[in-house]
Amino acid sequence: MDPAYARMRAEQPLLRIKMAYGQEGWLALRHDDVRTVLSDPRFSRAATLEADLPRAEPDLPNTPEMAANITNLDQPEHGRLRGLIASAFTARRIERLRPFVDETAQRLVTEMLVAGSPADLVKAVCEPLPVAVICELMGVPPAGRSIFRAGIEAVVSNATVAAEARVAAVQAIITYMAELIDERRRDPGGPRDDLLGALVAARDADGSRLSEAELNMLGVTLLVAGHETTLNMIGNMVVTLLTDRSRWDYLLADPDRIPAAVEEMLRVIPSGPYSGLARVALEDVELTGGTVRAGEAVLVSAEAANRDPEVYDDPETLRLDREPANILSFGYGSHRCVGAVLARMQMQIALRALITRVPKLDLAGEVEWRTSTLIRGPEAVLVTW
Ligand code: HEM
């Protein structure tokens, strides 16, 4: 993370910002302020649809689907959709996925070993694992994976991809999701004990609880949010461990240290230039260092908040045994990440498979970083063993 963030958090914790596109706004940097912005109902997600937000890419035109997206709803609509996800996305359903995640990670590592050294770890493990997992959870058939994977690359892209291409990509995923939903309706008794089937059943049992657009967007959002962040984070973590071999060796000595190490890496590794989605103040709100006026936009930096010295000792140092509490990498408040448990499971299992099966894994040359997406992660990680 740029050291300027630490200086700003101390000197100007509510930072006036102007980005490549949109009006000026604010960036909250302190842990307590970030929590306030993410959880106080005076900060609205729905109001962002009408606002000219500070952002890194050209805006997409508003569509009815966007207004129905769980990430863009305020209470009480948001609570209604969250409740439905909670009833379909149960801890049991996620735990049932554990053997699949484990077997997939093992298979991918085996395939990488068989193909031989060197390999690109992103293509071999980081990307295929979360894609396979979210498709298994949602019930996306293997043939559909490339359709939605290509679309998602464009959805999370930044200004280097034309706005029309991004709109077309979103539309392609929405159309594909409608086909998957139709399939479940045509074959309601089929062997479809997947999350999408559960959501379709919830919609059809009581249409007043979930509109068709909400159902479709919920599927799309889960598919998109469900793997892009995870695949980048697995790559970021492997690079973090291999750039200082003592970290890798520390986990190799006792792989049961991996869950704590994952938490600490989530705390320290930035996932993008800013995390979480912007909010718009519905009334004037005091934060440390200033007042956000009604109608103004605020972004949060979970990265800066995760290194707030008022919350963490020696915050700039990565200490793999730290077991940090209250990290904001999965957000906070009512919109906090639905998939945090699943994401943690995948990161832990991927690292365990690599560390225990390929203990001599090493970086071969410079890591190539992505420049075309809003999420930070390696484009390619060439490794040898
Ligand atoms: C390392 C992996 C992940 C990270 C870092 C991450 C991060 C986040 C963050 C920061 C938010 C809150 C955004 C905000 O309030 O502005 C969020 C929301 C969300 N995440 Fe994740 N996520 C990850 C994995 C996943 C997975 C695996 C799934 C689904 C299977 C998922 C589904 C969602 C959904 C649906 C929301 C929107 C929740 C709402 O608006 O109520 N995420 N995620």
Side-chain angles (χ1 to χ4, degrees), residues 241-264:
L241 295 174
L242 289 178
T243 43
D244 176 346
R245 187 101 212 151
S246 68
R247 296 173 182 155
W248 181 268
D249 291 342
Y250 170 79
L251 299 183
L252 182 60
D254 182 0
D256 288 344
R257 294 170 173 162
I258 290 172
V262 163
E263 288 310 288
E264 174 68 347

Side-chain angles (χ1 to χ4, degrees), residues 71 78 82 89 134 225-226 229-230 276-277 279 329-331 335 337 339 343:
T71 58
H78 178 261
R82 265 306 271 231
F89 208 79
I134 195 67
T229 35
T230 316
L277 303 163
R279 268 71 175 165
S329 323
F330 289 111
H335 284 279
C337 182

